[in-house]
Structure formats: structure tokens, C-alpha cells
Amino acid sequence: MRKRTHSNDLNTDKRVIMHVDMDAFFASVEQRDRPELKGKPVIVGSPPDRRGVVCAASYEARKFGVRSAMPSRTAKTLCPHGIFLSPCIHKYRKESHEIMSLIRCFCEKIEQMSVDEAYLDLSGRCLGNDFEASLMSALPIAREIKAVIRRERQLMISIGIASNKMLAKIASDYDKPNGLVLIPERDKKLFLACLPVRSIHGVGKTSNEILNKAGLHTIGDIQEHKGELVSLMGNFGPLLKQYALGMDDRRVESNDSVKSISSETTFMRDTDNRNILKSALKEQAEEIAEKLARHDVFAHTIQVKVRYGDFTTLSRQTTLPEGIQDTSAIYRNACQMLARERLVNQPLRLVGISASKLWNIKYSQLKLPLAFEPED
Ligand SMILES: [Mg+2]
């Protein structure tokens, strides 16, 4: 008699993953807030007479070939009647916050990837007789999320459902705008086969060219490829093959898991020696920078803490207009605070730095197109 445990074992690791992605987010927010822009080619980004790029284009502008990250000048050539608007970062962040709060009502296990994109792990909520049924039971949840966002925020979102992050993202991209696509587990290989290799997570422009040159154009080509991919793609080769077969074991990691990152040093002997303090702070800054990078976040608040020989502990913090992630910025801010507040007025038993108000990397990147602006 066959043991049933085998199939159960296989199923334990299957997840119900949803990828939600707002449609032409910045442009849609502008069109909602300014009805005169409805149905018009709206391009949010740098003005076309400046150096800078497009942050978002409405679907009307996309018809002309306008895409985000394209130089605004090129966008103007493609779409001469395009309406160029400067990004209103503050407004989009606020909108993002509203939308994510609505989505959180449906699922607590949510990993926000950018202002308008997130993964949800619904495995605990979606249970069916078999795994395909579990996936299917995410459909009504997706419909409800779409309806709530349309009703409460007057915006459209595309949703993909599948057994892992890579597939769910491909699914949400598949039928934009206002899409809802589910990739059944049994059909995933087939679903992927005809898509271009570029659709695979981690395949950028360069990898795409290398694969195409080797005759690998569709994901199906990679699925069928007999040889190893290491000579073409290096370490990414084996993973690429897995992705092509529809396998991806990256977990949904709730962003809430990291609220602050800190590091501190207790000295063997209390000290006010500037060199010792500086080298301790530098090491701490390095450690924090490395962790920020690993979590893909920028710190908007830096705090220093000192403890004196009598155990009196003081801390001071500063909130920065722009998030920081690099060692030198963290170190500089910490040193400035210690000096400004005259905290080293007697030997220290302990000194420490902590970074908080951690925001997803994409929030800070939003500022990039503006920072590029008036160079030439
Ligand atoms: Mg989007």
C-alpha cells in the first residue's frame, strides 16, 4: 500500500503568494487628483528640457512608447503632446501608506518592495483540498483587495497569484492594467515557456543579451537547455535554471521585522580618548551600514548613546531629510551629535549608534530623478 505521507511532505512547503502592483502609480494618482488629466498622456518625471528621467507614465503615454526610467527628452520626442509633471514624492508616499494599510487588513505577512508593490503570503489563510484549490481560494481575496482600493482610493491595482514570488510577480505583470492572473501550479512550466527570458527575476539587460546571443530567447529555451548555464551566467546559472522551471524558494519577509539597527561598544576602561572613541564609532557605523544594505533600507534617524562611569546614560538623535545607508554618513552624523551636545565631557563606559525610521530602498530612490536635474 502506498504511503500518503509522501504527497503531504511535498505539500508542506508550497506557499500561496500574491504580488500586488499599482498600475502606473504616480501618473494614476495625478489623474485621480486632477480630473482634467484623465485620458491624457501624463508623464511624471523631470521636465523634458532638463537632464533627468521619467518616473511614471500613464497608459495613454505608454501607447507612444514612453516608459519609466527613460530620459525625459526621449519621452518628449516619442510623445510631443505629453503632459510633464514634477513628481510629488510626499503625496505618493502618503498614498502608498494608505494603500498598504488597506492591504494589511487582508494579510499581515506582507513584504513591501517599493511604494506601489508588495508580496503577500496567504498560505495560512488559503486552504483547499489540494494545493491547486488553495491557490484558487486566494482569488476572492484578490478581487476584494481590488474592489477596496478602487472604492477607497479610486486607483487600480494588478494582482498575481502563484506558488512563489517570482511566479506571482510575473502573473501581476501579465495582464496590466487592472489585471488578476493566477498561475496554477501544474501549468507553471507551460505558462513560463513562451515568455522572454527577460521576465525572469534577476535577468537584466546584460544577462538578457548574453542569453539571447547563446540562442536562449524564451524561458522555454532555458527549460529545454541541456548544458550547464554556469559558463554563460556564472553563479546565477543554477538559480536561473530553477527560476525557469518555476521554482523560487525566497520567502515573504515582513518589513516590520526590522525597526531599528544598533551597535554599541563597552570599553574595558572608561575613556574620553578621541581616537579610541572615533574608531569604535567607525566600526559601529560600518556594521550598521552593512545591515542596512542587507535589509535594503535607508535610515532616516540616527541616534547616539553614551554611558558614563556612574552608569548615567544619555542619548541624542537627529532626523535626516534624506535616508542614509553608507558608513561615512552614519559616522559623520554620530560624531557631529556627540560634539554638538558635548556628550564626551567625562570618560565614557559605553558608546553606541542606532539607526531607525528605516524605509524601503525604493522610497529614497524616488528622489533620484529630481537630484539629476539641472546639470547641463
Ligand atoms: Mg506599479
Side-chain angles (χ1 to χ4, degrees), residues 8 20 28 94 104 107 114 132 142 148 175 183 192 196 293 368:
N8 285 345
V20 298
S28 304
K94 194 163 168 282
R104 263 173 225 281
C107 176
S114 73
E132 299 295 351
V148 165
D175 191 26
I183 304 180
L192 292 174
L368 275 179

Side-chain angles (χ1 to χ4, degrees), residues 28-40 42 83:
S28 304
V29 170
E30 296 298 346
Q31 286 179 317
R32 176 198 65 189
D33 294 349
R34 297 166 60 177
E36 72 275 16
L37 297 177
K38 287 231 167 77
K40 304 254 170 71
V42 172
I83 301 164

Side-chain angles (χ1 to χ4, degrees), residues 28-87:
S28 304
V29 170
E30 296 298 346
Q31 286 179 317
R32 176 198 65 189
D33 294 349
R34 297 166 60 177
E36 72 275 16
L37 297 177
K38 287 231 167 77
K40 304 254 170 71
V42 172
I43 299 166
V44 178
S46 286
D49 57 344
R50 303 248 191 105
R51 213 154 88 159
V53 296
V54 172
C55 298
S58 72
Y59 283 90
E60 294 83 357
R62 289 183 195 203
K63 279 184 199 145
F64 294 87
V66 179
R67 296 283 179 271
S68 52
M70 166 186 280
S72 292
R73 265 185 211 152
T74 314
K76 176 80 177 169
T77 315
L78 290 170
C79 182
H81 304 296
I83 301 164
F84 284 80
L85 302 176
S86 292

Side-chain angles (χ1 to χ4, degrees), residues 210-234:
I210 296 172
L211 291 166
N212 288 351
K213 268 199 198 124
L216 303 168
H217 298 276
T218 64
I219 299 181
D221 293 338
I222 298 179
Q223 290 172 353
E224 301 301 316
H225 185 69
K226 290 283 179 277
E228 43 87 35
L229 290 162
V230 178
S231 53
L232 276 182
M233 304 305 299

Side-chain angles (χ1 to χ4, degrees), residues 1-145:
M1 204 171 82
R2 282 179 64 189
K3 281 186 183 170
R4 281 188 55 219
T5 45
H6 277 292
S7 62
N8 285 345
D9 284 349
L10 284 175
N11 281 340
T12 49
D13 210 34
K14 285 191 177 159
R15 322 293 301 169
V16 178
I17 307 296
M18 188 181 276
H19 182 252
V20 298
D21 186 4
M22 299 299 294
D23 299 325
F25 183 49
F26 303 167
S28 304
V29 170
E30 296 298 346
Q31 286 179 317
R32 176 198 65 189
D33 294 349
R34 297 166 60 177
E36 72 275 16
L37 297 177
K38 287 231 167 77
K40 304 254 170 71
V42 172
I43 299 166
V44 178
S46 286
D49 57 344
R50 303 248 191 105
R51 213 154 88 159
V53 296
V54 172
C55 298
S58 72
Y59 283 90
E60 294 83 357
R62 289 183 195 203
K63 279 184 199 145
F64 294 87
V66 179
R67 296 283 179 271
S68 52
M70 166 186 280
S72 292
R73 265 185 211 152
T74 314
K76 176 80 177 169
T77 315
L78 290 170
C79 182
H81 304 296
I83 301 164
F84 284 80
L85 302 176
S86 292
C88 187
I89 306 302
H90 192 70
K91 178 158 76 170
Y92 310 143
R93 268 193 201 146
K94 194 163 168 282
E95 186 60 49
S96 166
H97 183 76
E98 299 286 346
I99 291 164
M100 293 301 163
S101 315
L102 289 172
I103 295 173
R104 263 173 225 281
C105 300
F106 292 86
C107 176
E108 277 181 2
K109 198 152 186 205
I110 170 169
E111 181 180 2
Q112 195 178 339
M113 304 305 289
S114 73
V115 266
D116 76 324
E117 219 184 301
Y119 290 103
L120 282 62
D121 186 338
L122 291 154
S123 309
R125 278 197 60 176
C126 295
L127 302 168
N129 289 335
D130 58 19
F131 183 65
E132 299 295 351
S134 305
L135 273 182
M136 294 286 281
S137 68
L139 277 172
I141 300 173
R143 287 194 196 99
E144 211 173 320
I145 290 175

Side-chain angles (χ1 to χ4, degrees), residues 132-371:
E132 299 295 351
S134 305
L135 273 182
M136 294 286 281
S137 68
L139 277 172
I141 300 173
R143 287 194 196 99
E144 211 173 320
I145 290 175
K146 288 164 76 76
V148 165
I149 290 174
R150 198 163 45 234
R151 190 178 66 230
E152 303 290 327
R153 309 306 310 163
Q154 295 82 50
L155 290 170
M156 282 202 295
I157 191 166
S158 289
I159 299 184
I161 300 165
S163 62
N164 62 50
K165 280 181 159 180
M166 183 205 63
L167 289 170
K169 184 163 165 57
I170 286 178
S172 74
D173 260 348
Y174 194 78
D175 191 26
K176 271 181 159 294
N178 200 20
L180 173 52
V181 172
L182 180 150
I183 304 180
E185 184 64 0
R186 58 173 169 266
D187 297 338
K188 63 182 183 184
K189 249 185 91 180
L190 203 62
F191 189 99
L192 292 174
C194 58
L195 298 176
V197 287
R198 187 77 198 257
S199 311
I200 298 181
H201 173 79
V203 176
K205 199 167 164 236
T206 315
S207 312
N208 188 44
E209 277 167 16
I210 296 172
L211 291 166
N212 288 351
K213 268 199 198 124
L216 303 168
H217 298 276
T218 64
I219 299 181
D221 293 338
I222 298 179
Q223 290 172 353
E224 301 301 316
H225 185 69
K226 290 283 179 277
E228 43 87 35
L229 290 162
V230 178
S231 53
L232 276 182
M233 304 305 299
N235 289 340
F236 184 46
L239 193 59
L240 180 66
K241 183 82 180 198
Q242 275 190 27
Y243 284 160
L245 294 170
M247 294 187 284
D248 172 14
D249 55 13
R250 287 173 302 144
R251 293 290 162 142
V252 172
E253 317 242 12
S254 303
N255 308 87
D256 293 346
S257 53
V258 205
K259 288 231 183 330
S260 72
I261 293 170
S262 59
S263 170
E264 47 188 52
T265 310
T266 302
F267 301 108
M268 300 279 276
R269 202 170 289 149
D270 298 357
T271 181
D272 55 3
N273 179 310
R274 295 301 191 263
N275 288 334
I276 294 175
L277 294 176
K278 277 183 180 170
S279 87
L281 289 165
K282 188 141 237 164
E283 265 177 37
Q284 293 165 8
E286 256 165 37
E287 187 189 329
I288 291 170
E290 191 260 320
K291 285 185 182 163
L292 289 171
R294 203 176 334 131
H295 289 284
D296 261 3
V297 287
F298 279 75
H300 286 250
T301 295
I302 296 293
Q303 188 187 63
V304 284
K305 174 168 139 187
V306 295
R307 180 169 294 146
Y308 302 108
D310 64 357
F311 279 85
T312 309
T313 306
L314 293 179
S315 63
R316 294 289 183 272
Q317 63 175 48
T318 181
T319 294
L320 309 161
E322 299 229 359
I324 56 172
Q325 197 187 46
D326 62 301
T327 305
S328 62
I330 298 166
Y331 173 72
R332 203 172 48 244
N333 275 285
C335 289
Q336 279 170 358
M337 255 183 294
L338 285 177
R340 198 172 55 230
E341 305 283 337
R342 297 181 203 283
L343 293 176
V344 194
N345 53 15
Q346 53 174 297
L348 301 183
R349 179 185 167 79
L350 170 153
V351 70
I353 309 178
S354 102
S356 55
K357 283 217 180 135
L358 307 181
W359 280 356
N360 190 284
I361 196 161
K362 295 279 172 61
Y363 283 100
S364 300
Q365 281 176 346
L366 284 178
K367 290 191 191 267
L368 275 179
L370 289 176

